[in-house]
Amino acid sequence: MKFFIQALLFSFLFNSTTHAQESIKMISAEYHGCKFSEGKDMSDLNEFVDRWNDWMDDGDRNSYTANILLPLYKSPSDEIDYLWVGNTNTVTELAVGQSEYRNSEIRESWPSDSCPYSMWARQMVVQDVNESEDWNWDEFVVAYHYCELKEGKTIDDAYKSQKEWIDYMNSNGDERGSRLVLPSHGSGPLMGDTDFVLLLAHGSLEKWGNNLDKSFMNRDERASLTRSDSYSCKNPVLYTGTRVRAGN
């Protein structure tokens, strides 16, 4: 199954006909799940962010968006202290930024000697977040669900099923963003047999609660059945997030 997903990812990168017709937005993403070095804590990470943002501004590095996620509901809860998630529109932008960062002095301020999880992935945008006035960039919520495709189903089927479901939920007042994360470099043991990770983003903890209540009350059988026919998910985890840099 993984070779199948990799083949699909290859087709995404080279503008497959299906995706060109549907104009599915693809984003490059990197994930670093880290532990604080001895004697370091969130204050040191915040100091790093301040220095890093100054360095990014000085170099006009404006294509990179960064969020810091803290585990809220995750077992075991102590594998990592935080998850750094960076996004760019293209892989080239991410690669150039990584090269410049790795050759800079700013990396010496990074407060973690150990980052057990480091992965590059592609994200298929199903529904962009509604960046309204009540979106709390200091405490939004991100849920990750680890999913496997059903026999004979493709990532296109999963995308269409999730799009149908998210559109229905949004029509009933639900407000959440959704992406399909396609694991690639570094995924290995972290992902196991996972074909993709379903990402759901909520504007705040209160929004997360409201959205889940609405999903239980306004459950659409047809959309839910379509999703269950295409893929199944397990082991969801929940993080609270802070936006530390907004790219273009």
Side-chain angles (χ1 to χ4, degrees):
M1 180 62 73
K2 287 199 180 328
F3 292 106
F4 180 60
I5 296 300
Q6 289 173 353
L8 283 171
L9 179 57
F10 184 87
S11 70
F12 294 150
L13 294 174
F14 288 89
N15 298 318
S16 68
T17 301
T18 300
H19 290 154
Q21 290 174 346
E22 295 183 1
S23 299
I24 296 176
K25 183 179 180 181
M26 301 291 290
I27 294 176
S28 180
E30 62 176 356
Y31 297 83
H32 301 286
C34 303
K35 299 281 290 183
F36 286 118
S37 300
E38 186 175 355
K40 302 291 184 179
D41 56 23
M42 280 300 300
S43 63
D44 297 285
L45 181 57
N46 291 332
E47 288 180 10
F48 166 82
V49 167
D50 289 340
R51 296 191 192 109
W52 174 77
N53 267 317
D54 289 341
W55 176 78
M56 294 285 280
D57 290 340
D58 289 343
D60 292 325
R61 302 174 180 92
N62 300 317
S63 63
Y64 190 93
T65 294
N67 299 300
I68 294 174
L69 306 184
L70 302 179
L72 180 60
Y73 297 125
K74 182 181 182 299
S75 300
S77 61
D78 59 352
E79 284 184 327
I80 61 172
D81 293 321
Y82 63 93
L83 182 65
W84 178 283
V85 184
N87 292 113
T88 54
N89 290 319
T90 69
V91 187
T92 300
E93 290 172 332
L94 183 65
V96 170
Q98 271 285 6
S99 178
E100 293 177 348
Y101 173 77
R102 290 167 62 83
N103 287 284
S104 72
E105 294 182 357
I106 193 66
R107 65 181 301 192
E108 297 176 4
S109 302
W110 184 252
S112 297
D113 293 329
S114 173
C115 292
Y117 303 144
S118 289
M119 181 183 76
W120 173 78
R122 294 284 280 182
Q123 295 181 350
M124 300 174 69
V125 179
V126 181
Q127 172 67 49
D128 257 330
V129 298
N130 177 18
E131 298 183 5
S132 57
E133 292 181 358
D134 57 354
W135 187 278
N136 185 354
W137 288 114
D138 292 321
E139 195 182 58
F140 59 93
V141 173
V142 177
Y144 293 106
H145 302 252
Y146 298 85
C147 307
E148 295 181 33
L149 294 167
K150 294 293 183 67
E151 186 68 29
K153 297 299 182 180
T154 68
I155 200 70
D156 280 324
D157 296 318
Y159 175 90
K160 292 173 183 176
S161 297
Q162 178 61 13
K163 179 64 174 168
E164 178 183 357
W165 181 81
I166 203 77
D167 285 348
Y168 174 81
M169 295 308 301
N170 286 343
S171 72
N172 283 279
D174 185 291
E175 295 181 7
R176 73 180 91 185
S178 179
R179 297 177 182 179
L180 304 188
V181 182
L182 309 181
S184 187
H185 299 70
S187 56
L190 174 63
M191 293 292 107
D193 294 328
T194 300
D195 290 319
F196 69 93
V197 180
L198 174 61
L199 183 164
L200 298 171
H202 309 258
S204 66
L205 276 168
E206 182 178 3
K207 283 287 185 184
W208 168 72
N210 289 340
N211 289 338
L212 262 64
D213 285 337
K214 288 174 182 176
S215 68
F216 288 126
M217 291 185 293
N218 300 319
R219 186 169 179 265
D220 179 82
E221 295 295 340
R222 179 176 59 85
S224 295
L225 181 61
T226 302
R227 295 172 83 212
S228 64
D229 282 347
S230 299
Y231 59 90
S232 62
C233 302
K234 60 184 178 181
N235 301 329
V237 295
L238 200 73
Y239 293 81
T240 57
T242 300
R243 170 67 51 86
V244 295
R245 187 172 185 85
N248 295 334

